[in-house]
Amino acid sequence: MSNGIGRREFLSRAWKWGAALIGVAGGWTTWDILQPRVTGGFGGVIKTKAADTVPDTNVESIRAARTYLTKIDGQVVALSEKCPHLGCRVPWCDSSGQFECPCHGSVFNRAGEYRAGPAPRGMDRYEFETIDGIVYVDTGAPVSGPAIGVETLNEPVRGPSCEDSSHG
Ligand code: FES
């Protein structure tokens, strides 16, 4: 008799433990699926910095992601540093407040929108996710930059071009 009750109690507890384990495993799987696939290298998802520290009047270069982060109207934008013309790295010029490609002279505003030169469009962008306040940039699939003629950012040229000064 006491053995029967013991068995029933044992089975009851086993069921509860089994159900609890299944719940934990399900929760872990859900949490794991929702985490960004951080590869640590260019071509994957790269952890960058806190969204609230991304500059809103300037840009910040994230070399590991070959990306510039900036904010436009309070929203983070991740720009590919690769020129849409022939792929040179486009540096940011503080004095003019523009991106200025040293290879053939393409110029883009802080939002990566086309201003001048042979580039066929604005600078490409990366999609990103903000998780717990941190910006994770997906460098695997750049999104084509805006067409020539699209200039939504009302920021005039600040001053002298870096390209003019670098050529003397
Ligand atoms: S590669 Fe930038 S303008 Fe040609």
Side-chain angles (χ1 to χ4, degrees):
M1 190 71 157
S2 66
N3 273 352
I5 292 169
R7 193 180 306 125
R8 252 183 258 127
E9 273 180 16
F10 172 78
L11 288 174
S12 169
R13 285 180 191 180
W15 268 109
K16 285 176 187 164
W17 275 103
L21 279 174
I22 288 169
V24 167
W28 171 264
T29 303
T30 304
W31 179 84
D32 192 48
I33 285 170
L34 292 175
Q35 293 309 297
R37 299 290 102 187
V38 180
T39 65
F42 184 73
V45 175
I46 296 179
K47 180 180 181 180
T48 63
K49 66 190 318 255
D52 60 7
T53 64
V54 172
D56 56 6
T57 58
N58 229 318
V59 307
E60 183 161 342
S61 173
I62 309 291
R63 292 312 313 271
R66 301 180 199 172
T67 299
Y68 292 103
L69 293 181
T70 189
K71 274 188 192 150
I72 305 296
D73 296 330
Q75 302 298 310
V76 173
V77 176
L79 298 170
S80 166
E81 64 179 25
K82 185 176 165 187
C83 183
H85 180 223
L86 294 178
C88 291
R89 177 175 185 267
V90 187
W92 169 253
C93 174
D94 257 334
S95 61
S96 70
Q98 307 181 110
F99 292 97
E100 299 177 357
C101 186
C103 292
H104 313 99
S106 289
V107 178
F108 311 89
N109 68 16
R110 188 171 59 82
E113 295 165 336
Y114 174 91
R115 276 192 170 156
R121 61 180 183 277
M123 293 165 73
D124 296 341
R125 288 127 196 264
Y126 290 121
E127 294 188 346
F128 62 89
E129 273 187 279
T130 305
I131 298 171
D132 294 335
I134 304 294
V135 178
Y136 290 81
V137 175
D138 184 354
T139 61
V143 178
S144 279
I148 289 175
V150 173
E151 185 159 2
T152 59
L153 188 66
N154 184 22
E155 280 183 14
V157 179
R158 292 178 191 167
S161 157
C162 294
E163 285 306 300
D164 292 346
S165 58
S166 69
H167 295 304

